[in-house]
Amino acid sequence: MKIVIIGSGNVAYHLAKAFTQKEIPISQVFGRNERALKEISEEFKIPFSTSEIAQADLYLISVNDDSVETISAKILNENALVAHTSGSLPKEILQGNYRKASFYPLQTFSKSKELQYEEIPFFVEAENAEDLEVLRNLAFQISKKVTVSDYEKRKYIHLTAVFACNFVNHLFARAKEISDSQNIPFEYFLPLIDETVQKIHEIEPKSAQTGPAVRNDQRVLALHEVLIKDEEHLKIYKTINESIKKMYEL
């Protein structure tokens, strides 16, 4: 099976890496960013192009959501299977007479961060059973966790991921702003962060909650609000504490 990856960002890079590690040949990486494509090409020995999409049996579109529809229209091979890797788009967003599908890896991707691909959940969807089996088999070559999921379920998976990953990371960034403002090394907090994440492997997140809000400790809450000088930090602090209180009916 000839495979082309369209895109040169984090997801495209890691798909190329995962496939290469499992000796799954990639015919081409295609995109607009020549420098990024060249880096992928040189690292994994995959041909690249910014001008002509190669003929393939399977095209994996790994670009930002706003570009999926436009780039999908460039694929003219009506005999191909085309899948995007977005968690928030239906397969019907793809513009072409080919067979449409989705191939969604549930993970946060950065090129500089090593990943255990076999632990990444993949959610696949296709228009027919044969194509679905193709995508399942492909995903199972790099991951132990592959699930068939339609768009109605996948969009809630993506929403949950935003809360569990993107929002949490934003709070890490805001926390670092506070520690930096007081010349406190952020590395002091890494064991706490690691334990917080590790704990929910064993305990339900709701049961694992600690802190002044869940204790309804008004003295500490008031003290913190006095200490916070940044308006945005104060808004976040109050909003999340109110959310905690509502969850625990305090």
Side-chain angles (χ1 to χ4, degrees), residues 162-192:
V162 170
F163 272 79
C165 174
N166 305 135
F167 287 178
V168 172
N169 188 75
H170 179 68
L171 291 178
F172 291 154
R174 289 296 186 180
K176 189 174 186 301
E177 288 179 343
I178 295 172
S179 67
D180 287 350
S181 72
Q182 300 300 314
N183 296 314
I184 301 169
F186 189 68
E187 65 188 46
Y188 289 175
F189 303 93
L190 296 181
L192 173 65

Short mmCIF file of all heavy atoms in Angstrom, two decimals, residues 162-192:
data_model
loop_
_atom_site.label_atom_id
_atom_site.label_comp_id
_atom_site.label_asym_id
_atom_site.label_seq_id
_atom_site.Cartn_x
_atom_site.Cartn_y
_atom_site.Cartn_z
N VAL A 162 -9.23 18.63 25.19
CA VAL A 162 -8.93 20.05 25.40
C VAL A 162 -8.93 20.38 26.89
O VAL A 162 -8.04 21.06 27.39
CB VAL A 162 -9.92 20.94 24.63
CG1 VAL A 162 -9.78 22.40 25.04
CG2 VAL A 162 -9.69 20.81 23.12
N PHE A 163 -9.93 19.89 27.61
CA PHE A 163 -9.98 20.11 29.05
C PHE A 163 -8.80 19.42 29.75
O PHE A 163 -8.14 20.01 30.62
CB PHE A 163 -11.30 19.56 29.63
CG PHE A 163 -12.43 20.55 29.62
CD1 PHE A 163 -13.14 20.81 28.46
CD2 PHE A 163 -12.79 21.23 30.77
CE1 PHE A 163 -14.18 21.71 28.43
CE2 PHE A 163 -13.84 22.15 30.76
CZ PHE A 163 -14.53 22.39 29.59
N ALA A 164 -8.54 18.17 29.38
CA ALA A 164 -7.55 17.36 30.09
C ALA A 164 -6.11 17.71 29.76
O ALA A 164 -5.22 17.47 30.57
CB ALA A 164 -7.78 15.87 29.79
N CYS A 165 -5.89 18.30 28.59
CA CYS A 165 -4.52 18.58 28.16
C CYS A 165 -4.27 20.07 27.95
O CYS A 165 -3.46 20.67 28.64
CB CYS A 165 -4.23 17.80 26.87
SG CYS A 165 -2.64 18.20 26.12
N ASN A 166 -4.98 20.66 26.99
CA ASN A 166 -4.69 22.05 26.62
C ASN A 166 -4.93 23.02 27.77
O ASN A 166 -4.11 23.91 28.02
CB ASN A 166 -5.52 22.45 25.40
CG ASN A 166 -5.34 21.51 24.23
OD1 ASN A 166 -6.30 21.11 23.60
ND2 ASN A 166 -4.12 21.11 23.94
N PHE A 167 -6.06 22.86 28.46
CA PHE A 167 -6.36 23.75 29.57
C PHE A 167 -5.37 23.55 30.72
O PHE A 167 -4.90 24.51 31.34
CB PHE A 167 -7.78 23.54 30.08
CG PHE A 167 -8.86 24.07 29.17
CD1 PHE A 167 -10.20 23.90 29.50
CD2 PHE A 167 -8.55 24.73 27.99
CE1 PHE A 167 -11.20 24.39 28.67
CE2 PHE A 167 -9.54 25.22 27.16
CZ PHE A 167 -10.88 25.05 27.50
N VAL A 168 -5.06 22.28 31.00
CA VAL A 168 -4.11 21.99 32.08
C VAL A 168 -2.75 22.58 31.77
O VAL A 168 -2.10 23.19 32.63
CB VAL A 168 -4.03 20.47 32.32
CG1 VAL A 168 -2.90 20.14 33.30
CG2 VAL A 168 -5.36 19.93 32.84
N ASN A 169 -2.29 22.43 30.53
CA ASN A 169 -1.00 23.00 30.17
C ASN A 169 -1.00 24.52 30.28
O ASN A 169 0.00 25.13 30.67
CB ASN A 169 -0.61 22.58 28.75
CG ASN A 169 0.81 22.97 28.41
OD1 ASN A 169 1.77 22.37 28.87
ND2 ASN A 169 0.96 24.04 27.63
N HIS A 170 -2.13 25.13 29.92
CA HIS A 170 -2.22 26.60 30.07
C HIS A 170 -2.07 26.99 31.54
O HIS A 170 -1.41 28.00 31.86
CB HIS A 170 -3.56 27.09 29.53
CG HIS A 170 -3.74 28.56 29.67
ND1 HIS A 170 -3.01 29.48 28.95
CD2 HIS A 170 -4.56 29.29 30.48
CE1 HIS A 170 -3.37 30.71 29.29
NE2 HIS A 170 -4.30 30.62 30.22
N LEU A 171 -2.65 26.21 32.43
CA LEU A 171 -2.50 26.50 33.85
C LEU A 171 -1.04 26.33 34.30
O LEU A 171 -0.56 27.08 35.15
CB LEU A 171 -3.42 25.62 34.69
CG LEU A 171 -4.92 25.91 34.54
CD1 LEU A 171 -5.72 24.93 35.38
CD2 LEU A 171 -5.25 27.35 34.94
N PHE A 172 -0.34 25.34 33.73
CA PHE A 172 1.09 25.22 34.02
C PHE A 172 1.82 26.49 33.61
O PHE A 172 2.69 27.00 34.33
CB PHE A 172 1.70 24.03 33.27
CG PHE A 172 1.24 22.68 33.74
CD1 PHE A 172 1.26 21.59 32.87
CD2 PHE A 172 0.80 22.48 35.03
CE1 PHE A 172 0.86 20.34 33.29
CE2 PHE A 172 0.38 21.22 35.46
CZ PHE A 172 0.41 20.15 34.58
N ALA A 173 1.48 27.01 32.42
CA ALA A 173 2.13 28.22 31.93
C ALA A 173 1.82 29.42 32.83
O ALA A 173 2.70 30.24 33.12
CB ALA A 173 1.68 28.51 30.49
N ARG A 174 0.57 29.52 33.27
CA ARG A 174 0.21 30.61 34.20
C ARG A 174 0.90 30.43 35.55
O ARG A 174 1.35 31.42 36.16
CB ARG A 174 -1.31 30.63 34.39
CG ARG A 174 -2.08 31.11 33.17
CD ARG A 174 -1.76 32.56 32.86
NE ARG A 174 -2.58 33.08 31.77
CZ ARG A 174 -2.51 34.32 31.30
NH1 ARG A 174 -1.62 35.17 31.80
NH2 ARG A 174 -3.29 34.72 30.33
N ALA A 175 1.00 29.20 36.03
CA ALA A 175 1.70 28.93 37.28
C ALA A 175 3.16 29.36 37.18
O ALA A 175 3.72 29.95 38.13
CB ALA A 175 1.59 27.45 37.65
N LYS A 176 3.78 29.09 36.04
CA LYS A 176 5.18 29.47 35.86
C LYS A 176 5.33 30.99 35.85
O LYS A 176 6.34 31.52 36.32
CB LYS A 176 5.75 28.86 34.58
CG LYS A 176 7.27 29.04 34.45
CD LYS A 176 7.82 28.31 33.26
CE LYS A 176 9.34 28.38 33.22
NZ LYS A 176 9.86 29.77 33.16
N GLU A 177 4.35 31.70 35.31
CA GLU A 177 4.40 33.16 35.36
C GLU A 177 4.44 33.65 36.80
O GLU A 177 5.19 34.58 37.14
CB GLU A 177 3.19 33.77 34.64
CG GLU A 177 3.23 33.64 33.14
CD GLU A 177 2.01 34.23 32.46
OE1 GLU A 177 0.99 34.45 33.15
OE2 GLU A 177 2.07 34.47 31.24
N ILE A 178 3.66 33.01 37.67
CA ILE A 178 3.66 33.41 39.08
C ILE A 178 4.98 33.07 39.74
O ILE A 178 5.58 33.90 40.45
CB ILE A 178 2.49 32.72 39.83
CG1 ILE A 178 1.15 33.22 39.28
CG2 ILE A 178 2.58 33.00 41.34
CD1 ILE A 178 -0.05 32.47 39.81
N SER A 179 5.48 31.86 39.50
CA SER A 179 6.75 31.48 40.13
C SER A 179 7.89 32.34 39.61
O SER A 179 8.77 32.76 40.37
CB SER A 179 7.04 29.99 39.91
OG SER A 179 7.30 29.71 38.54
N ASP A 180 7.88 32.65 38.32
CA ASP A 180 8.91 33.51 37.74
C ASP A 180 8.87 34.91 38.34
O ASP A 180 9.92 35.54 38.56
CB ASP A 180 8.74 33.62 36.22
CG ASP A 180 9.15 32.35 35.49
OD1 ASP A 180 9.74 31.45 36.13
OD2 ASP A 180 8.88 32.26 34.27
N SER A 181 7.66 35.41 38.62
CA SER A 181 7.54 36.76 39.16
C SER A 181 8.16 36.88 40.55
O SER A 181 8.52 37.98 40.98
CB SER A 181 6.06 37.17 39.22
OG SER A 181 5.37 36.48 40.25
N GLN A 182 8.29 35.74 41.24
CA GLN A 182 8.87 35.73 42.58
C GLN A 182 10.24 35.05 42.61
O GLN A 182 10.76 34.73 43.68
CB GLN A 182 7.92 35.02 43.55
CG GLN A 182 6.55 35.66 43.66
CD GLN A 182 6.63 37.10 44.13
OE1 GLN A 182 7.34 37.41 45.10
NE2 GLN A 182 5.89 37.99 43.46
N ASN A 183 10.81 34.84 41.42
CA ASN A 183 12.12 34.18 41.30
C ASN A 183 12.16 32.82 41.99
O ASN A 183 13.14 32.45 42.64
CB ASN A 183 13.23 35.08 41.85
CG ASN A 183 13.37 36.37 41.05
OD1 ASN A 183 13.38 36.34 39.82
ND2 ASN A 183 13.46 37.50 41.74
N ILE A 184 11.07 32.08 41.85
CA ILE A 184 10.98 30.72 42.39
C ILE A 184 11.16 29.75 41.23
O ILE A 184 10.38 29.80 40.27
CB ILE A 184 9.62 30.48 43.07
CG1 ILE A 184 9.38 31.49 44.19
CG2 ILE A 184 9.53 29.06 43.61
CD1 ILE A 184 7.96 31.48 44.73
N PRO A 185 12.19 28.89 41.25
CA PRO A 185 12.39 27.95 40.13
C PRO A 185 11.17 27.06 39.92
O PRO A 185 10.68 26.42 40.87
CB PRO A 185 13.61 27.14 40.58
CG PRO A 185 14.32 28.02 41.55
CD PRO A 185 13.24 28.77 42.27
N PHE A 186 10.69 27.00 38.70
CA PHE A 186 9.49 26.20 38.42
C PHE A 186 9.77 24.71 38.62
O PHE A 186 8.83 23.94 38.86
CB PHE A 186 9.02 26.46 36.99
CG PHE A 186 7.68 25.85 36.67
CD1 PHE A 186 6.53 26.32 37.27
CD2 PHE A 186 7.58 24.80 35.76
CE1 PHE A 186 5.29 25.76 36.98
CE2 PHE A 186 6.35 24.23 35.47
CZ PHE A 186 5.20 24.72 36.08
N GLU A 187 11.03 24.32 38.55
CA GLU A 187 11.36 22.90 38.74
C GLU A 187 10.96 22.40 40.11
O GLU A 187 10.75 21.19 40.30
CB GLU A 187 12.85 22.68 38.52
CG GLU A 187 13.74 23.37 39.54
CD GLU A 187 15.21 23.29 39.18
OE1 GLU A 187 15.56 23.53 38.01
OE2 GLU A 187 16.00 22.97 40.08
N TYR A 188 10.80 23.31 41.09
CA TYR A 188 10.32 22.89 42.41
C TYR A 188 8.97 22.20 42.31
O TYR A 188 8.63 21.34 43.15
CB TYR A 188 10.18 24.10 43.34
CG TYR A 188 11.45 24.75 43.81
CD1 TYR A 188 11.40 25.92 44.57
CD2 TYR A 188 12.71 24.22 43.51
CE1 TYR A 188 12.55 26.54 45.02
CE2 TYR A 188 13.87 24.84 43.95
CZ TYR A 188 13.79 26.00 44.70
OH TYR A 188 14.93 26.62 45.14
N PHE A 189 8.17 22.59 41.33
CA PHE A 189 6.78 22.13 41.24
C PHE A 189 6.63 20.87 40.40
O PHE A 189 5.55 20.29 40.35
CB PHE A 189 5.90 23.25 40.68
CG PHE A 189 5.96 24.51 41.49
CD1 PHE A 189 6.85 25.51 41.16
CD2 PHE A 189 5.16 24.67 42.61
CE1 PHE A 189 6.94 26.67 41.92
CE2 PHE A 189 5.23 25.82 43.37
CZ PHE A 189 6.13 26.84 43.03
N LEU A 190 7.70 20.44 39.72
CA LEU A 190 7.59 19.29 38.84
C LEU A 190 7.23 17.99 39.57
O LEU A 190 6.40 17.22 39.07
CB LEU A 190 8.88 19.12 38.03
CG LEU A 190 9.19 20.27 37.07
CD1 LEU A 190 10.48 19.99 36.30
CD2 LEU A 190 8.04 20.51 36.09
N PRO A 191 7.81 17.71 40.76
CA PRO A 191 7.36 16.50 41.47
C PRO A 191 5.88 16.55 41.84
O PRO A 191 5.19 15.53 41.80
CB PRO A 191 8.26 16.48 42.73
CG PRO A 191 9.47 17.24 42.32
CD PRO A 191 8.97 18.33 41.43
N LEU A 192 5.38 17.73 42.18
CA LEU A 192 3.96 17.90 42.49
C LEU A 192 3.10 17.63 41.26
O LEU A 192 2.08 16.94 41.33
CB LEU A 192 3.71 19.32 43.01
CG LEU A 192 2.26 19.73 43.24
CD1 LEU A 192 1.63 18.90 44.35
CD2 LEU A 192 2.18 21.23 43.57
#
